[in-house]
Amino acid sequence: MKVDLSGTWKFSIDNFGNMNSPETDDSNWADIYVPMRWDNQGYGDFDGIAWYHKRFSLPESLKGRELYLVLGKIDDFDKVYLNGEKIGEVEDLPGYSRFHQDRAWQLYRIYKIPSDLLRNKNLISVEVRDIGWNGGIYEGPVGIITGDEVKALKENIQRYSNGDDDSWQSILRNLLHLFD
C-alpha cells in the first residue's frame, strides 16, 4: 500500500444529515479498527447501516498518479465517497446484479480514485449496509495503491482463483470486471 489506511477509523451507527460530507463532525464518533468485523468490536447485535470515516493526507509523491482505493472485503453492501463525492459501490439489486447478491460480502472492493477529487487532506466515507449476521469492513488490505499495483493484485487474484469451487470462480470473474 502506498498509503496504508488500516487501523483506527471513526464509526457511527447513527445516521443524520449528510454523513459523507467532509464537514460532518465525526469527533464524537466511536473508534473502530479496520479491517475487522464490527461484531467483534462491540456491535454484535447490530444489522443495518453504519458509517466509517478515515481522514488522510496525500503524499506529494502520489500527486498526479493513477490511484485506487482498496477496501478489502465488506459485509454486505457499500457506498464509498471521497471528499463527499461517490466513487463506487456494491449494492443489493433485487432480481439482478452482476454480482451474486448473496455473495457480495466476498468481493474485494477496489475503486479508481478520480484525480480531481484528491486534496492535501482527504476524507473517505464508507456507508456499509449489513443485512444479517456479521458486518463491516472485515478483511484487508485497506489503503491506496497505484495503477501498476492494481494490475499485480489482479494477477494475484487470478493466480489464486484456480480452485474447484465454481461459485468462487464466478465471484472472482465478476470482481475482475471492476478493473476493466
Side-chain angles (χ1 to χ4, degrees), residues 11-15 38 46-51 127-130:
F11 181 76
S12 177
I13 59 173
D14 297 323
N15 291 288
W38 65 48
F46 181 73
D47 293 321
I49 294 175
W51 283 88
E127 176 186 350
V128 175
R129 185 165 55 95
D130 178 44

Side-chain angles (χ1 to χ4, degrees), residues 2-85:
K2 295 294 184 201
V3 178
D4 184 0
L5 297 173
S6 61
T8 304
W9 287 51
K10 291 302 207 175
F11 181 76
S12 177
I13 59 173
D14 297 323
N15 291 288
F16 53 87
N18 193 3
M19 300 288 279
N20 64 321
S21 171
E23 286 80 40
T24 298
D25 181 9
D26 58 14
S27 61
N28 291 323
W29 291 18
D31 288 338
I32 197 163
Y33 188 83
V34 171
M36 183 184 291
R37 296 183 189 283
W38 65 48
D39 304 78
N40 300 346
Q41 300 182 72
Y43 299 90
D45 295 329
F46 181 73
D47 293 321
I49 294 175
W51 283 88
Y52 289 81
H53 273 189
K54 182 69 169 183
R55 296 180 189 275
F56 71 97
S57 297
L58 185 69
E60 281 291 324
S61 62
L62 295 179
K63 290 184 179 175
R65 295 187 67 185
E66 180 183 35
L67 300 174
Y68 290 81
L69 174 63
V70 179
L71 289 175
K73 294 182 181 180
I74 298 175
D75 192 350
D76 289 294
F77 307 105
D78 62 280
K79 293 181 183 174
V80 179
Y81 302 85
L82 176 63
N83 296 325
E85 298 294 325

